[in-house]
Amino acid sequence: MCGIVGYVGKEQAAPILLNGLAKLEYRGYDSAGLAVRDGESPVEVVKAKGRLKALEEKTNNGLAIKGTCGIGHTRWATHGEPSENNAHPHISDDYNVVGVHNGIIENYQELRDKLVKNGYEFYSSTDTEVAIKLIDYYYKKYEHTPVDAINHAMVRIRGSYALAIMFKDYPEEIYVARKD
Ligand code: GLU
């Protein structure tokens, strides 16, 4: 088990997220990442394999990423090797949904196959990318609201998990879900 942090407010998010992740380091992890947004502008994702220090160096202690809303993650790999590519946050192709996840999606292969049939492609070996793209799928299929999309995905997902998610159409908002 590793960690998730989120921040929305008036301060710059990235240094706060890094600080939060540092407090969770004791839980163990193999890689770390951040997704930060500045108002309406597109989300920026930075990831690094190894210690949090690598992510801090990559982002100049967070100062290189602008924005007041963001999520951060330390990963303990269960699906796919520890690598920058498999590190979180994971993102849908058009940057519509970006999210981080702790836990396991037990039926990820079945869900992945369903998404591939619907035209989705995958860049990582993680179960998490499947969850993010499933939420994107339902967001586009139904009412275009985050809560409905997450609800639909949670009905299909088996396993135990915590998720923190941001949606392109909803700046300054972070959605969370957890099970078991
Ligand atoms: N199952 C996910 C992965 O392998 C999340 C692992 C975790 O809890 O960090 O990427």
Side-chain angles (χ1 to χ4, degrees):
M1 255 304 167
C2 28
I4 290 176
V5 293
Y7 175 82
V8 191
K10 293 193 184 340
E11 309 290 324
Q12 287 298 306
I16 294 170
L17 296 173
L18 287 170
N19 193 33
L21 290 178
K23 292 190 176 135
L24 299 174
E25 271 196 298
Y26 73 94
R27 292 160 68 98
Y29 63 100
D30 54 57
S31 54
L34 300 176
V36 175
R37 286 191 78 166
D38 200 9
E40 302 274 340
S41 52
V43 68
E44 202 174 332
V45 176
V46 187
K47 316 197 270 193
K49 186 182 168 190
R51 309 299 301 169
L52 200 52
K53 199 168 173 357
L55 188 63
E56 288 166 350
E57 280 167 8
K58 234 177 168 174
T59 60
N60 188 20
N61 289 317
L63 299 175
I65 316 178
K66 299 287 167 234
T68 54
C69 176
I71 50 181
H73 183 262
T74 46
R75 175 179 187 234
W76 188 306
T78 65
H79 292 64
E81 56 169 8
S83 68
E84 187 173 318
N85 190 46
N86 285 335
H88 305 204
H90 286 288
I91 193 154
S92 63
D93 299 344
D94 53 2
Y95 283 53
N96 185 42
V97 182
V98 58
V100 295
H101 158 232
N102 284 158
I104 290 176
I105 313 293
E106 284 164 10
N107 58 337
Y108 85 101
Q109 189 62 55
E110 165 197 329
L111 297 173
R112 197 179 202 269
D113 294 345
K114 167 192 163 70
L115 289 167
V116 167
K117 280 196 196 111
N118 282 279
Y120 281 81
E121 290 174 3
F122 290 86
Y123 58 80
S124 80
S125 322
T126 63
D127 50 345
T128 304
E129 188 189 352
V130 175
I132 298 306
K133 290 184 173 172
L134 189 68
I135 292 167
D136 178 65
Y137 169 79
Y138 285 123
Y139 184 84
K140 287 170 179 153
K141 183 166 181 188
Y142 294 115
E143 298 88 350
H144 287 260
T145 70
V147 171
D148 280 325
I150 294 167
N151 274 346
H152 277 109
M154 285 181 80
V155 168
R156 292 298 305 271
I157 288 171
R158 286 202 309 275
S160 55
Y161 52 83
L163 289 161
I165 307 152
M166 299 194 294
F167 292 77
K168 184 161 73 185
D169 299 336
Y170 292 80
E172 307 296 324
E173 292 184 15
I174 298 170
Y175 292 82
V176 296
R178 71 169 185 182
K179 183 162 178 289
D180 299 336

